[in-house]
Amino acid sequence: MKNNLQIANKLRSSGLRPTKQRVKIAEFLFEREKTFHFTVEELDKLINSKTNDEKISLATFYNTVHAFKKAGHLKEILTNNNKIYFDTHTGPHYHFFDSNSNELIDIDSKAIKLKNIPDAPNGKSIKDIDVVIN
């Protein structure tokens, strides 16, 4: 019960209403020891296969994941096969992408040194730098 309250407070503090489905998805994503990389379709299968409760629709997964991303709880990563992955680790870090297993693996941000980063175009600013090594 305590975890549900913490999750609900986390959602509320970022402007999201803690619906039953959002809380269930948030618990699955954020109550873990390690970073979790996933596609929305994988998340759907993982959560809906583990429960005998009421199933969550794929549309709800998409809407919830994008709401979590917009609120800053998830990071979106586009791979070279045009598949969109999401990452529960939102801080600066980079990735290896294994195209055989479709797996994203974290790289410590200190392991890569970026030099000669170009200036942003006029009127734009650099928010983040994503590096995905295939």
Side-chain angles (χ1 to χ4, degrees):
M1 187 69 140
K2 182 181 177 189
N3 288 340
N4 278 355
L5 184 58
Q6 289 173 329
I7 291 287
N9 287 337
K10 178 177 183 165
L11 295 176
R12 279 189 196 99
S13 71
S14 57
L16 297 171
R17 195 166 52 90
T19 64
K20 182 176 153 183
Q21 293 91 349
R22 281 182 180 160
V23 169
K24 187 175 186 176
I25 294 168
E27 285 175 339
F28 186 85
L29 291 175
F30 306 123
E31 290 183 352
R32 49 181 66 239
E33 296 291 318
K34 293 175 63 177
T35 298
F36 182 55
H37 304 102
F38 63 93
T39 65
V40 174
E41 294 83 4
E42 291 168 348
L43 185 64
D44 171 29
K45 288 177 188 167
L46 287 168
I47 291 178
N48 279 330
S49 70
K50 285 188 173 199
T51 183
N52 291 330
D53 295 343
E54 185 177 319
K55 301 290 184 199
I56 299 172
S57 74
L58 184 58
T60 299
F61 279 106
Y62 271 101
N63 292 336
T64 300
V65 165
H66 286 284
F68 288 175
K69 180 190 144 231
K70 186 176 180 182
H73 300 308
L74 294 173
K75 185 175 187 173
E76 184 178 85
I77 299 143
L78 179 64
T79 61
N80 69 340
N81 64 354
N82 290 325
K83 215 172 193 180
I84 296 174
Y85 286 81
F86 293 89
D87 189 347
T88 56
H89 180 342
T90 59
H93 70 289
Y94 310 109
H95 297 94
F96 284 112
F97 179 69
D98 182 339
S99 57
N100 292 325
S101 66
N102 288 325
E103 181 183 15
L104 276 176
I105 303 161
D106 285 344
I107 301 172
D108 186 340
S109 61
K110 296 174 188 144
I112 293 180
K113 293 188 183 358
L114 300 174
K115 293 182 178 184
N116 302 327
I117 299 169
D119 292 335
N122 286 337
K124 305 289 181 184
S125 64
I126 296 173
K127 177 182 165 191
D128 194 10
I129 297 174
D130 289 330
V131 174
V132 178
I133 300 172
N134 295 295

